[in-house]
Amino acid sequence: MSRIVTVGIAQMGPIARSESRQDVVARLLALMQDAARMGCDLVVYTEAALTAFFPHWLITDEEELDSYFERAMPNPAVQPLFDAAARLGIGFHLGYAELDFSTGRKRRFNTSILVGKDGGIIGKYRKVHLPGYVEPRPGEPFQNLEKRYFEVGDLGFPVWHAFGGRVGMMVCNDRRWPEAYRVMGLQGVELVVLGYNTPVHNPAMPQTDDLGNFHNQLVMQAGAYQNGTFVAGVAKAGVEEGVDQIGQSCVIAPSGELMVQCTTLGDELQVARCDLDLCTSYKTSIFNFEKHRRPEHYGLIVERTGAGDVLGR
Ligand code: ING
């Protein structure tokens, strides 16, 4: 018996700083309605899907910075998304900047949620691997101030029973770290959904600028194959506030094969029928962790001989 989940990847083109939440939600709703028309069970939106990717520039005024965050989820501006999900019977993944006050102080996270077909929130994830830096770098064409604007996520990498399988989330830079997939792989994940805002130009390593799309696919294909899971990665693409970002949103099978890919740099929906039973064939053979994986033999060598030790730094 196959367990088909029809996944819509809803890539977004640029969001202007001046664009209101209402305008952005209208774009998201149009993509959701297309996804429902195409029989999707789930539509995957991108990282920071409600605003321009503001870590790309310095914001010193706290009120202005807070204006890019959501104080509650759902909230009146995004409620139409939740209502449409319940009306259309389609779930969704949404990346956004989260303001949290639950511990008595203001905390900021780069967050994503998974929402079911009833419009209810199934789970939340907060980005662990924050790239970039705290202090702005004068002279660079744009910044990456995620370490300034966000705290490291404190929810780990959970996996939820949802859409007939096991679903997990990560955000953008997380997809470059094999541990993120493996922690979910050890929980039997069958579909990893994520969004990304990835500039074509990396000021820290300009020699890799031509490899941006290759690296984007490489890490998701590896993560999918090595953990027997589908991966859906969704871009905020195009030139957003002067920063040229890659597109190539895609769905990858547990084989590591590319199933579908966006071919524009704008708002674009593509759909993949994911048979979660394909995951089982990989998890019970090549990547049967119980039979073949030997963490008890990895020892501390792996930790002690990290790059720093080997390079003497
Ligand atoms: N963006 C980028 C990403 O991980 C980056 C940062 C770009 C890191 C290129 C390394 C190379 O895709 C976010 N938002 O994490």
Side-chain angles (χ1 to χ4, degrees):
M1 191 268 278
S2 59
R3 291 179 293 141
I4 304 276
V5 181
T6 303
V7 176
I9 50 173
Q11 173 178 290
M12 294 188 82
I15 299 177
R17 287 192 207 190
S18 57
E19 214 164 329
S20 70
R21 294 285 195 287
Q22 286 69 19
D23 291 345
V24 175
V25 168
R27 289 169 59 185
L28 296 172
L29 279 172
L31 289 160
M32 181 183 281
Q33 282 147 6
D34 279 352
R37 266 195 295 275
M38 296 181 75
C40 291
D41 297 299
L42 167 68
V43 57
V44 183
Y45 294 121
T46 188
E47 172 193 29
L50 298 171
T51 65
F53 196 68
F54 56 93
H56 284 156
W57 63 86
L58 176 62
I59 301 171
T60 52
D61 176 79
E62 180 153 355
E63 197 175 327
E64 181 187 351
L65 179 58
D66 285 354
S67 72
Y68 288 92
F69 288 76
E70 308 305 315
R71 292 173 177 272
M73 186 54 72
N75 60 56
V78 299
Q79 189 59 47
L81 274 180
F82 289 76
D83 296 343
R87 185 174 69 252
L88 298 167
I90 184 169
F92 65 94
H93 155 278
L94 181 74
Y96 65 96
E98 176 195 10
L99 270 190
D100 172 74
F101 300 92
S102 64
T103 61
R105 67 179 178 84
K106 182 192 289 188
R107 298 191 299 165
R108 293 191 175 97
F109 296 104
N110 188 343
T111 297
S112 62
I113 51 170
L114 187 66
V115 178
K117 293 184 174 184
D118 60 354
I121 294 179
I122 296 167
K124 174 157 76 174
Y125 167 72
R126 290 166 171 166
K127 186 174 185 177
V128 168
H129 298 94
L130 298 173
Y133 33 81
V134 175
E135 294 306 324
R137 293 180 177 175
E140 305 235 331
F142 56 89
Q143 307 294 314
N144 185 325
L145 294 169
E146 292 196 60
K147 286 189 173 67
R148 184 185 185 95
Y149 297 154
F150 301 121
E151 294 186 36
V152 174
D154 60 348
L155 302 176
F157 290 96
V159 170
W160 293 272
H161 288 281
F163 303 97
R166 295 172 179 226
V167 183
M169 295 185 272
M170 54 173 83
V171 177
C172 202
N173 197 258
D174 287 325
R175 76 191 187 288
R176 300 180 192 278
W177 299 91
E179 298 90 337
Y181 298 93
R182 184 47 51 92
V183 167
M184 289 191 271
L186 289 166
Q187 298 172 71
V189 73
E190 296 173 310
L191 171 61
V192 175
V193 295
L194 65 96
Y196 56 88
N197 284 254
T198 301
V200 170
H201 173 55
N202 182 356
M205 281 193 77
Q207 66 273 33
T208 63
D209 287 3
D210 290 344
L211 297 170
N213 282 328
F214 167 65
H215 286 160
N216 181 48
Q217 280 188 6
L218 173 68
V219 292
M220 292 194 283
Q221 286 179 288
Y225 171 62
Q226 291 168 343
N227 294 280
T229 179
F230 288 90
V231 174
V234 181
K236 171 96 73 51
V239 182
E240 180 180 85
E241 296 297 331
V243 181
D244 191 1
Q245 302 207 117
I246 69 170
Q248 298 209 343
S249 307
C250 60
V251 180
I252 293 158
S255 62
E257 292 171 292
L258 199 57
M259 296 175 74
V260 291
Q261 185 175 71
C262 291
T263 58
T264 72
L265 293 175
D267 291 12
E268 178 183 348
L269 180 79
Q270 292 295 343
V271 176
R273 285 168 46 82
C274 301
D275 180 354
L276 300 185
D277 284 348
L278 273 180
C279 302
T280 310
S281 57
Y282 281 86
K283 292 178 189 290
T284 56
S285 60
I286 305 168
F287 293 108
N288 182 323
F289 290 162
E290 288 69 31
K291 276 190 179 169
H292 308 311
R293 184 170 172 267
R294 287 287 170 268
E296 70 277 11
H297 292 282
Y298 298 163
L300 292 177
I301 299 297
V302 172
E303 294 306 320
R304 276 203 304 273
T305 52
D309 300 357
V310 171
L311 299 174
R313 277 200 290 273

